[in-house]
Every structure is written in structure tokens, then in C-alpha cells.
Amino acid sequence: TIILYNKEQKTVVLTRQFRLPTFINGNSTGMLIETCAGLLDKDNPEDCIRRETEEETGYKITDVHKVFEAYMSPGSVTEILYFFIAEYAKSMKVNEGGGVDHEEENIEVLELPFGQAFEMINTGEIKDAKTIMLLQYIKLQNIL
């Protein structure tokens, strides 16, 4: 998973998409705001996150910085997540993003002021753990 940030604009790029498990669990629309992420598909984490970033957000990034790894629910799943941050600029936008057709993704790209995104944790608009962790990382490290 990765969060893109722009120091000059003090903005971050997030995504919004339908997540069936949240819908089943009471999220009335099933829509979730989250950081860009994807399955490794036999890639190393850095290559994977570059590919997923371009597919989902439309930004072609080259310089990614790994900040940590974490098991999200070690009592029930074996999945480990790799957390990245990267700077972005308008000049890095190579397409509209939104995902790839063969994966039937329908992803909305959101560019938000960092303060607004961080406040969305308090309002409950952001409930995704990986997103909360990366927003808190940016705040704790005084990146924006």
C-alpha cells in the first residue's frame, strides 16, 4: 500500500471503491476511501506498488520509500502489508487511473488536502486501517 503526497500543495492521493465485505458488514454504500494497494502477484513489493499506483491513480512514480511492514490481523490471516510513501506531481500523471478493465476495478481517484484527509479519520469517512496508518505516519514524521 502507498500514499502519494505533494509537499507544495500539501495534498495526498487516495482512492474510493466498492468493497463487498464492508457492505455486508453494515457500510450502507460499500464504498471505502483508502490508499492505493494491490496483491504482489509474484512481484517484489516495490515493483508491485509502482504498477498498482499507475493502474489505480494514473501517476507514474519511480521513487518509492518503504516505511514499514505490518501484519494486519495476525490471528486470522497470513497477509503481511508493505507500506510505502512517495511524492507526486501533476507532471507524473500519465493516465486517468481507475484500475484495469480485466480486473473489473472501478476506482475513483481522490486528491485531498492533507488536513481534510486526516480529519476524515475523526469523522469516520476513512475507516481503512492501512490508510489511517499511512496518514498518521505522514503526520508523525511532519512530512506535510
Side-chain angles (χ1 to χ4, degrees), residues 31-65:
M31 300 301 283
L32 204 64
I33 297 173
E34 55 189 296
T35 50
C36 172
L39 299 176
L40 289 179
D41 296 330
K42 299 183 182 179
D43 283 337
N44 69 56
E46 290 85 359
D47 290 342
C48 174
I49 205 61
R50 283 185 192 95
R51 181 188 71 246
E52 289 292 334
T53 299
E54 188 172 336
E55 290 175 2
E56 292 187 8
T57 71
Y59 287 95
K60 185 174 186 72
I61 57 168
T62 55
D63 188 23
V64 298
H65 177 68

PDB file of all heavy atoms in Angstrom, residues 31-65:
ATOM      1  N   MET A  31     -18.801   1.682  -0.219  1.00  0.00           N
ATOM      2  CA  MET A  31     -17.674   2.456  -0.731  1.00  0.00           C
ATOM      3  C   MET A  31     -16.683   2.726   0.402  1.00  0.00           C
ATOM      4  O   MET A  31     -17.090   3.025   1.524  1.00  0.00           O
ATOM      5  CB  MET A  31     -18.147   3.777  -1.347  1.00  0.00           C
ATOM      6  CG  MET A  31     -19.109   3.594  -2.507  1.00  0.00           C
ATOM      7  SD  MET A  31     -18.439   2.628  -3.879  1.00  0.00           S
ATOM      8  CE  MET A  31     -17.395   3.836  -4.647  1.00  0.00           C
ATOM      9  N   LEU A  32     -15.401   2.611   0.086  1.00  0.00           N
ATOM     10  CA  LEU A  32     -14.357   2.805   1.078  1.00  0.00           C
ATOM     11  C   LEU A  32     -13.280   3.712   0.507  1.00  0.00           C
ATOM     12  O   LEU A  32     -12.854   3.526  -0.633  1.00  0.00           O
ATOM     13  CB  LEU A  32     -13.754   1.453   1.459  1.00  0.00           C
ATOM     14  CG  LEU A  32     -13.082   1.338   2.811  1.00  0.00           C
ATOM     15  CD1 LEU A  32     -14.082   1.554   3.944  1.00  0.00           C
ATOM     16  CD2 LEU A  32     -12.434  -0.019   2.962  1.00  0.00           C
ATOM     17  N   ILE A  33     -12.852   4.677   1.301  1.00  0.00           N
ATOM     18  CA  ILE A  33     -11.731   5.538   0.926  1.00  0.00           C
ATOM     19  C   ILE A  33     -10.475   4.903   1.494  1.00  0.00           C
ATOM     20  O   ILE A  33     -10.422   4.581   2.682  1.00  0.00           O
ATOM     21  CB  ILE A  33     -11.927   6.973   1.463  1.00  0.00           C
ATOM     22  CG1 ILE A  33     -13.159   7.596   0.823  1.00  0.00           C
ATOM     23  CG2 ILE A  33     -10.672   7.816   1.206  1.00  0.00           C
ATOM     24  CD1 ILE A  33     -13.538   8.942   1.409  1.00  0.00           C
ATOM     25  N   GLU A  34      -9.471   4.734   0.631  1.00  0.00           N
ATOM     26  CA  GLU A  34      -8.271   4.040   1.066  1.00  0.00           C
ATOM     27  C   GLU A  34      -7.060   4.445   0.236  1.00  0.00           C
ATOM     28  O   GLU A  34      -7.188   5.090  -0.796  1.00  0.00           O
ATOM     29  CB  GLU A  34      -8.480   2.534   1.018  1.00  0.00           C
ATOM     30  CG  GLU A  34      -8.920   2.000  -0.327  1.00  0.00           C
ATOM     31  CD  GLU A  34      -9.330   0.534  -0.264  1.00  0.00           C
ATOM     32  OE1 GLU A  34      -8.473  -0.315   0.024  1.00  0.00           O
ATOM     33  OE2 GLU A  34     -10.512   0.251  -0.528  1.00  0.00           O
ATOM     34  N   THR A  35      -5.897   4.016   0.716  1.00  0.00           N
ATOM     35  CA  THR A  35      -4.681   4.204  -0.051  1.00  0.00           C
ATOM     36  C   THR A  35      -4.640   3.192  -1.181  1.00  0.00           C
ATOM     37  O   THR A  35      -5.261   2.132  -1.120  1.00  0.00           O
ATOM     38  CB  THR A  35      -3.437   4.014   0.850  1.00  0.00           C
ATOM     39  OG1 THR A  35      -3.561   2.782   1.567  1.00  0.00           O
ATOM     40  CG2 THR A  35      -3.278   5.157   1.832  1.00  0.00           C
ATOM     41  N   CYS A  36      -3.899   3.519  -2.198  1.00  0.00           N
ATOM     42  CA  CYS A  36      -3.680   2.611  -3.312  1.00  0.00           C
ATOM     43  C   CYS A  36      -2.983   1.361  -2.791  1.00  0.00           C
ATOM     44  O   CYS A  36      -2.074   1.445  -1.965  1.00  0.00           O
ATOM     45  CB  CYS A  36      -2.809   3.333  -4.343  1.00  0.00           C
ATOM     46  SG  CYS A  36      -2.242   2.303  -5.691  1.00  0.00           S
ATOM     47  N   ALA A  37      -3.396   0.199  -3.271  1.00  0.00           N
ATOM     48  CA  ALA A  37      -2.799  -1.060  -2.816  1.00  0.00           C
ATOM     49  C   ALA A  37      -3.064  -2.146  -3.851  1.00  0.00           C
ATOM     50  O   ALA A  37      -3.905  -1.976  -4.739  1.00  0.00           O
ATOM     51  CB  ALA A  37      -3.375  -1.472  -1.464  1.00  0.00           C
ATOM     52  N   GLY A  38      -2.358  -3.254  -3.705  1.00  0.00           N
ATOM     53  CA  GLY A  38      -2.588  -4.371  -4.609  1.00  0.00           C
ATOM     54  C   GLY A  38      -1.886  -5.615  -4.134  1.00  0.00           C
ATOM     55  O   GLY A  38      -1.033  -5.566  -3.248  1.00  0.00           O
ATOM     56  N   LEU A  39      -2.243  -6.722  -4.726  1.00  0.00           N
ATOM     57  CA  LEU A  39      -1.610  -8.006  -4.414  1.00  0.00           C
ATOM     58  C   LEU A  39      -0.262  -8.097  -5.122  1.00  0.00           C
ATOM     59  O   LEU A  39      -0.087  -7.563  -6.223  1.00  0.00           O
ATOM     60  CB  LEU A  39      -2.509  -9.161  -4.847  1.00  0.00           C
ATOM     61  CG  LEU A  39      -3.882  -9.216  -4.168  1.00  0.00           C
ATOM     62  CD1 LEU A  39      -4.716 -10.349  -4.763  1.00  0.00           C
ATOM     63  CD2 LEU A  39      -3.729  -9.378  -2.671  1.00  0.00           C
ATOM     64  N   LEU A  40       0.661  -8.803  -4.520  1.00  0.00           N
ATOM     65  CA  LEU A  40       2.011  -8.880  -5.073  1.00  0.00           C
ATOM     66  C   LEU A  40       2.078  -9.581  -6.428  1.00  0.00           C
ATOM     67  O   LEU A  40       2.895  -9.230  -7.263  1.00  0.00           O
ATOM     68  CB  LEU A  40       2.959  -9.578  -4.088  1.00  0.00           C
ATOM     69  CG  LEU A  40       3.308  -8.789  -2.840  1.00  0.00           C
ATOM     70  CD1 LEU A  40       4.236  -9.596  -1.946  1.00  0.00           C
ATOM     71  CD2 LEU A  40       3.925  -7.452  -3.185  1.00  0.00           C
ATOM     72  N   ASP A  41       1.249 -10.578  -6.662  1.00  0.00           N
ATOM     73  CA  ASP A  41       1.266 -11.307  -7.943  1.00  0.00           C
ATOM     74  C   ASP A  41       2.675 -11.716  -8.349  1.00  0.00           C
ATOM     75  O   ASP A  41       3.097 -11.516  -9.489  1.00  0.00           O
ATOM     76  CB  ASP A  41       0.633 -10.463  -9.052  1.00  0.00           C
ATOM     77  CG  ASP A  41      -0.838 -10.175  -8.811  1.00  0.00           C
ATOM     78  OD1 ASP A  41      -1.503 -11.008  -8.170  1.00  0.00           O
ATOM     79  OD2 ASP A  41      -1.318  -9.113  -9.250  1.00  0.00           O
ATOM     80  N   LYS A  42       3.455 -12.255  -7.426  1.00  0.00           N
ATOM     81  CA  LYS A  42       4.809 -12.748  -7.646  1.00  0.00           C
ATOM     82  C   LYS A  42       5.836 -11.644  -7.906  1.00  0.00           C
ATOM     83  O   LYS A  42       6.983 -11.927  -8.220  1.00  0.00           O
ATOM     84  CB  LYS A  42       4.851 -13.798  -8.758  1.00  0.00           C
ATOM     85  CG  LYS A  42       4.014 -15.023  -8.456  1.00  0.00           C
ATOM     86  CD  LYS A  42       4.138 -16.063  -9.533  1.00  0.00           C
ATOM     87  CE  LYS A  42       3.229 -17.250  -9.194  1.00  0.00           C
ATOM     88  NZ  LYS A  42       3.273 -18.277 -10.209  1.00  0.00           N
ATOM     89  N   ASP A  43       5.444 -10.373  -7.823  1.00  0.00           N
ATOM     90  CA  ASP A  43       6.382  -9.260  -7.945  1.00  0.00           C
ATOM     91  C   ASP A  43       7.010  -8.981  -6.589  1.00  0.00           C
ATOM     92  O   ASP A  43       6.482  -9.377  -5.552  1.00  0.00           O
ATOM     93  CB  ASP A  43       5.658  -7.975  -8.387  1.00  0.00           C
ATOM     94  CG  ASP A  43       5.332  -7.966  -9.864  1.00  0.00           C
ATOM     95  OD1 ASP A  43       5.999  -8.689 -10.631  1.00  0.00           O
ATOM     96  OD2 ASP A  43       4.415  -7.224 -10.253  1.00  0.00           O
ATOM     97  N   ASN A  44       8.110  -8.248  -6.600  1.00  0.00           N
ATOM     98  CA  ASN A  44       8.601  -7.755  -5.322  1.00  0.00           C
ATOM     99  C   ASN A  44       7.729  -6.559  -4.942  1.00  0.00           C
ATOM    100  O   ASN A  44       7.059  -5.966  -5.798  1.00  0.00           O
ATOM    101  CB  ASN A  44      10.102  -7.418  -5.376  1.00  0.00           C
ATOM    102  CG  ASN A  44      10.406  -6.219  -6.236  1.00  0.00           C
ATOM    103  OD1 ASN A  44       9.864  -5.124  -6.029  1.00  0.00           O
ATOM    104  ND2 ASN A  44      11.285  -6.382  -7.203  1.00  0.00           N
ATOM    105  N   PRO A  45       7.659  -6.203  -3.666  1.00  0.00           N
ATOM    106  CA  PRO A  45       6.740  -5.156  -3.219  1.00  0.00           C
ATOM    107  C   PRO A  45       6.922  -3.810  -3.932  1.00  0.00           C
ATOM    108  O   PRO A  45       5.933  -3.151  -4.263  1.00  0.00           O
ATOM    109  CB  PRO A  45       7.031  -5.038  -1.727  1.00  0.00           C
ATOM    110  CG  PRO A  45       7.529  -6.393  -1.335  1.00  0.00           C
ATOM    111  CD  PRO A  45       8.316  -6.863  -2.525  1.00  0.00           C
ATOM    112  N   GLU A  46       8.169  -3.396  -4.200  1.00  0.00           N
ATOM    113  CA  GLU A  46       8.407  -2.102  -4.845  1.00  0.00           C
ATOM    114  C   GLU A  46       7.873  -2.079  -6.280  1.00  0.00           C
ATOM    115  O   GLU A  46       7.239  -1.105  -6.699  1.00  0.00           O
ATOM    116  CB  GLU A  46       9.901  -1.752  -4.828  1.00  0.00           C
ATOM    117  CG  GLU A  46      10.436  -1.425  -3.450  1.00  0.00           C
ATOM    118  CD  GLU A  46      10.855  -2.662  -2.645  1.00  0.00           C
ATOM    119  OE1 GLU A  46      10.721  -3.823  -3.150  1.00  0.00           O
ATOM    120  OE2 GLU A  46      11.273  -2.488  -1.493  1.00  0.00           O
ATOM    121  N   ASP A  47       8.116  -3.138  -7.035  1.00  0.00           N
ATOM    122  CA  ASP A  47       7.600  -3.197  -8.406  1.00  0.00           C
ATOM    123  C   ASP A  47       6.079  -3.240  -8.410  1.00  0.00           C
ATOM    124  O   ASP A  47       5.424  -2.596  -9.232  1.00  0.00           O
ATOM    125  CB  ASP A  47       8.154  -4.422  -9.147  1.00  0.00           C
ATOM    126  CG  ASP A  47       9.638  -4.304  -9.461  1.00  0.00           C
ATOM    127  OD1 ASP A  47      10.177  -3.173  -9.438  1.00  0.00           O
ATOM    128  OD2 ASP A  47      10.265  -5.357  -9.723  1.00  0.00           O
ATOM    129  N   CYS A  48       5.534  -4.008  -7.487  1.00  0.00           N
ATOM    130  CA  CYS A  48       4.078  -4.122  -7.384  1.00  0.00           C
ATOM    131  C   CYS A  48       3.442  -2.763  -7.115  1.00  0.00           C
ATOM    132  O   CYS A  48       2.482  -2.383  -7.774  1.00  0.00           O
ATOM    133  CB  CYS A  48       3.704  -5.105  -6.286  1.00  0.00           C
ATOM    134  SG  CYS A  48       1.929  -5.172  -5.960  1.00  0.00           S
ATOM    135  N   ILE A  49       3.988  -2.029  -6.160  1.00  0.00           N
ATOM    136  CA  ILE A  49       3.336  -0.766  -5.787  1.00  0.00           C
ATOM    137  C   ILE A  49       3.474   0.276  -6.886  1.00  0.00           C
ATOM    138  O   ILE A  49       2.572   1.093  -7.079  1.00  0.00           O
ATOM    139  CB  ILE A  49       3.826  -0.258  -4.405  1.00  0.00           C
ATOM    140  CG1 ILE A  49       2.745   0.630  -3.776  1.00  0.00           C
ATOM    141  CG2 ILE A  49       5.148   0.464  -4.497  1.00  0.00           C
ATOM    142  CD1 ILE A  49       1.425  -0.051  -3.525  1.00  0.00           C
ATOM    143  N   ARG A  50       4.549   0.237  -7.641  1.00  0.00           N
ATOM    144  CA  ARG A  50       4.676   1.153  -8.789  1.00  0.00           C
ATOM    145  C   ARG A  50       3.598   0.841  -9.826  1.00  0.00           C
ATOM    146  O   ARG A  50       2.943   1.740 -10.353  1.00  0.00           O
ATOM    147  CB  ARG A  50       6.069   1.030  -9.418  1.00  0.00           C
ATOM    148  CG  ARG A  50       7.158   1.717  -8.641  1.00  0.00           C
ATOM    149  CD  ARG A  50       8.503   1.658  -9.398  1.00  0.00           C
ATOM    150  NE  ARG A  50       9.575   2.070  -8.538  1.00  0.00           N
ATOM    151  CZ  ARG A  50      10.347   1.245  -7.825  1.00  0.00           C
ATOM    152  NH1 ARG A  50      10.179  -0.059  -7.892  1.00  0.00           N
ATOM    153  NH2 ARG A  50      11.303   1.718  -7.063  1.00  0.00           N
ATOM    154  N   ARG A  51       3.417  -0.454 -10.134  1.00  0.00           N
ATOM    155  CA  ARG A  51       2.404  -0.878 -11.109  1.00  0.00           C
ATOM    156  C   ARG A  51       0.998  -0.507 -10.632  1.00  0.00           C
ATOM    157  O   ARG A  51       0.203   0.078 -11.364  1.00  0.00           O
ATOM    158  CB  ARG A  51       2.504  -2.390 -11.353  1.00  0.00           C
ATOM    159  CG  ARG A  51       1.503  -2.906 -12.385  1.00  0.00           C
ATOM    160  CD  ARG A  51       1.471  -4.427 -12.474  1.00  0.00           C
ATOM    161  NE  ARG A  51       0.852  -4.992 -11.271  1.00  0.00           N
ATOM    162  CZ  ARG A  51       1.485  -5.737 -10.366  1.00  0.00           C
ATOM    163  NH1 ARG A  51       2.762  -6.040 -10.506  1.00  0.00           N
ATOM    164  NH2 ARG A  51       0.850  -6.199  -9.309  1.00  0.00           N
ATOM    165  N   GLU A  52       0.691  -0.842  -9.375  1.00  0.00           N
ATOM    166  CA  GLU A  52      -0.638  -0.559  -8.838  1.00  0.00           C
ATOM    167  C   GLU A  52      -0.914   0.943  -8.792  1.00  0.00           C
ATOM    168  O   GLU A  52      -2.036   1.376  -9.050  1.00  0.00           O
ATOM    169  CB  GLU A  52      -0.786  -1.160  -7.437  1.00  0.00           C
ATOM    170  CG  GLU A  52      -0.866  -2.669  -7.415  1.00  0.00           C
ATOM    171  CD  GLU A  52      -2.133  -3.231  -8.041  1.00  0.00           C
ATOM    172  OE1 GLU A  52      -3.171  -2.534  -8.073  1.00  0.00           O
ATOM    173  OE2 GLU A  52      -2.097  -4.382  -8.508  1.00  0.00           O
ATOM    174  N   THR A  53       0.091   1.732  -8.460  1.00  0.00           N
ATOM    175  CA  THR A  53      -0.087   3.181  -8.405  1.00  0.00           C
ATOM    176  C   THR A  53      -0.484   3.726  -9.767  1.00  0.00           C
ATOM    177  O   THR A  53      -1.418   4.524  -9.878  1.00  0.00           O
ATOM    178  CB  THR A  53       1.198   3.870  -7.900  1.00  0.00           C
ATOM    179  OG1 THR A  53       1.484   3.399  -6.584  1.00  0.00           O
ATOM    180  CG2 THR A  53       1.039   5.380  -7.870  1.00  0.00           C
ATOM    181  N   GLU A  54       0.196   3.282 -10.807  1.00  0.00           N
ATOM    182  CA  GLU A  54      -0.139   3.756 -12.146  1.00  0.00           C
ATOM    183  C   GLU A  54      -1.526   3.282 -12.567  1.00  0.00           C
ATOM    184  O   GLU A  54      -2.316   4.056 -13.114  1.00  0.00           O
ATOM    185  CB  GLU A  54       0.915   3.307 -13.156  1.00  0.00           C
ATOM    186  CG  GLU A  54       0.714   3.919 -14.516  1.00  0.00           C
ATOM    187  CD  GLU A  54       1.857   3.646 -15.474  1.00  0.00           C
ATOM    188  OE1 GLU A  54       2.984   3.379 -15.019  1.00  0.00           O
ATOM    189  OE2 GLU A  54       1.609   3.698 -16.697  1.00  0.00           O
ATOM    190  N   GLU A  55      -1.843   2.007 -12.305  1.00  0.00           N
ATOM    191  CA  GLU A  55      -3.152   1.472 -12.683  1.00  0.00           C
ATOM    192  C   GLU A  55      -4.287   2.164 -11.948  1.00  0.00           C
ATOM    193  O   GLU A  55      -5.312   2.510 -12.539  1.00  0.00           O
ATOM    194  CB  GLU A  55      -3.222  -0.032 -12.395  1.00  0.00           C
ATOM    195  CG  GLU A  55      -2.375  -0.890 -13.305  1.00  0.00           C
ATOM    196  CD  GLU A  55      -2.381  -2.362 -12.904  1.00  0.00           C
ATOM    197  OE1 GLU A  55      -3.078  -2.728 -11.923  1.00  0.00           O
ATOM    198  OE2 GLU A  55      -1.693  -3.148 -13.571  1.00  0.00           O
ATOM    199  N   GLU A  56      -4.131   2.359 -10.647  1.00  0.00           N
ATOM    200  CA  GLU A  56      -5.228   2.871  -9.830  1.00  0.00           C
ATOM    201  C   GLU A  56      -5.322   4.395  -9.808  1.00  0.00           C
ATOM    202  O   GLU A  56      -6.426   4.935  -9.790  1.00  0.00           O
ATOM    203  CB  GLU A  56      -5.115   2.352  -8.394  1.00  0.00           C
ATOM    204  CG  GLU A  56      -5.366   0.865  -8.291  1.00  0.00           C
ATOM    205  CD  GLU A  56      -5.429   0.352  -6.864  1.00  0.00           C
ATOM    206  OE1 GLU A  56      -5.432   1.159  -5.913  1.00  0.00           O
ATOM    207  OE2 GLU A  56      -5.492  -0.881  -6.695  1.00  0.00           O
ATOM    208  N   THR A  57      -4.183   5.090  -9.778  1.00  0.00           N
ATOM    209  CA  THR A  57      -4.223   6.554  -9.629  1.00  0.00           C
ATOM    210  C   THR A  57      -3.867   7.297 -10.899  1.00  0.00           C
ATOM    211  O   THR A  57      -4.155   8.487 -11.018  1.00  0.00           O
ATOM    212  CB  THR A  57      -3.272   7.036  -8.518  1.00  0.00           C
ATOM    213  OG1 THR A  57      -1.914   6.875  -8.946  1.00  0.00           O
ATOM    214  CG2 THR A  57      -3.531   6.297  -7.217  1.00  0.00           C
ATOM    215  N   GLY A  58      -3.184   6.629 -11.830  1.00  0.00           N
ATOM    216  CA  GLY A  58      -2.747   7.292 -13.053  1.00  0.00           C
ATOM    217  C   GLY A  58      -1.399   7.980 -12.932  1.00  0.00           C
ATOM    218  O   GLY A  58      -0.912   8.554 -13.901  1.00  0.00           O
ATOM    219  N   TYR A  59      -0.782   7.920 -11.758  1.00  0.00           N
ATOM    220  CA  TYR A  59       0.532   8.545 -11.563  1.00  0.00           C
ATOM    221  C   TYR A  59       1.630   7.511 -11.760  1.00  0.00           C
ATOM    222  O   TYR A  59       1.581   6.423 -11.183  1.00  0.00           O
ATOM    223  CB  TYR A  59       0.661   9.152 -10.159  1.00  0.00           C
ATOM    224  CG  TYR A  59      -0.146  10.408  -9.992  1.00  0.00           C
ATOM    225  CD1 TYR A  59      -1.427  10.371  -9.448  1.00  0.00           C
ATOM    226  CD2 TYR A  59       0.366  11.637 -10.393  1.00  0.00           C
ATOM    227  CE1 TYR A  59      -2.178  11.526  -9.307  1.00  0.00           C
ATOM    228  CE2 TYR A  59      -0.379  12.803 -10.256  1.00  0.00           C
ATOM    229  CZ  TYR A  59      -1.648  12.740  -9.708  1.00  0.00           C
ATOM    230  OH  TYR A  59      -2.392  13.879  -9.573  1.00  0.00           O
ATOM    231  N   LYS A  60       2.633   7.867 -12.584  1.00  0.00           N
ATOM    232  CA  LYS A  60       3.796   7.002 -12.796  1.00  0.00           C
ATOM    233  C   LYS A  60       4.895   7.484 -11.850  1.00  0.00           C
ATOM    234  O   LYS A  60       5.478   8.536 -12.064  1.00  0.00           O
ATOM    235  CB  LYS A  60       4.267   7.054 -14.241  1.00  0.00           C
ATOM    236  CG  LYS A  60       5.396   6.082 -14.533  1.00  0.00           C
ATOM    237  CD  LYS A  60       5.710   6.075 -16.018  1.00  0.00           C
ATOM    238  CE  LYS A  60       6.718   5.016 -16.359  1.00  0.00           C
ATOM    239  NZ  LYS A  60       6.204   3.657 -16.287  1.00  0.00           N
ATOM    240  N   ILE A  61       5.130   6.704 -10.806  1.00  0.00           N
ATOM    241  CA  ILE A  61       6.136   7.078  -9.816  1.00  0.00           C
ATOM    242  C   ILE A  61       7.340   6.151  -9.961  1.00  0.00           C
ATOM    243  O   ILE A  61       7.206   5.005 -10.374  1.00  0.00           O
ATOM    244  CB  ILE A  61       5.580   7.004  -8.379  1.00  0.00           C
ATOM    245  CG1 ILE A  61       5.034   5.599  -8.080  1.00  0.00           C
ATOM    246  CG2 ILE A  61       4.510   8.068  -8.155  1.00  0.00           C
ATOM    247  CD1 ILE A  61       4.728   5.343  -6.637  1.00  0.00           C
ATOM    248  N   THR A  62       8.493   6.668  -9.639  1.00  0.00           N
ATOM    249  CA  THR A  62       9.703   5.842  -9.685  1.00  0.00           C
ATOM    250  C   THR A  62      10.358   5.759  -8.314  1.00  0.00           C
ATOM    251  O   THR A  62      10.889   4.730  -7.949  1.00  0.00           O
ATOM    252  CB  THR A  62      10.715   6.403 -10.700  1.00  0.00           C
ATOM    253  OG1 THR A  62      10.979   7.769 -10.388  1.00  0.00           O
ATOM    254  CG2 THR A  62      10.176   6.300 -12.117  1.00  0.00           C
ATOM    255  N   ASP A  63      10.295   6.824  -7.551  1.00  0.00           N
ATOM    256  CA  ASP A  63      10.981   6.880  -6.261  1.00  0.00           C
ATOM    257  C   ASP A  63      10.000   6.574  -5.130  1.00  0.00           C
ATOM    258  O   ASP A  63       9.236   7.451  -4.719  1.00  0.00           O
ATOM    259  CB  ASP A  63      11.609   8.256  -6.071  1.00  0.00           C
ATOM    260  CG  ASP A  63      12.503   8.327  -4.849  1.00  0.00           C
ATOM    261  OD1 ASP A  63      13.000   7.266  -4.402  1.00  0.00           O
ATOM    262  OD2 ASP A  63      12.689   9.434  -4.324  1.00  0.00           O
ATOM    263  N   VAL A  64       9.998   5.338  -4.677  1.00  0.00           N
ATOM    264  CA  VAL A  64       9.132   4.953  -3.563  1.00  0.00           C
ATOM    265  C   VAL A  64       9.997   4.695  -2.336  1.00  0.00           C
ATOM    266  O   VAL A  64      11.133   4.236  -2.454  1.00  0.00           O
ATOM    267  CB  VAL A  64       8.267   3.711  -3.877  1.00  0.00           C
ATOM    268  CG1 VAL A  64       7.340   3.982  -5.045  1.00  0.00           C
ATOM    269  CG2 VAL A  64       9.104   2.491  -4.152  1.00  0.00           C
ATOM    270  N   HIS A  65       9.451   5.000  -1.176  1.00  0.00           N
ATOM    271  CA  HIS A  65      10.184   4.817   0.079  1.00  0.00           C
ATOM    272  C   HIS A  65       9.366   3.893   0.986  1.00  0.00           C
ATOM    273  O   HIS A  65       8.244   4.212   1.368  1.00  0.00           O
ATOM    274  CB  HIS A  65      10.400   6.171   0.759  1.00  0.00           C
ATOM    275  CG  HIS A  65      11.082   6.075   2.082  1.00  0.00           C
ATOM    276  ND1 HIS A  65      12.402   5.684   2.214  1.00  0.00           N
ATOM    277  CD2 HIS A  65      10.629   6.298   3.334  1.00  0.00           C
ATOM    278  CE1 HIS A  65      12.712   5.685   3.498  1.00  0.00           C
ATOM    279  NE2 HIS A  65      11.659   6.043   4.197  1.00  0.00           N
TER     280      HIS A  65
END
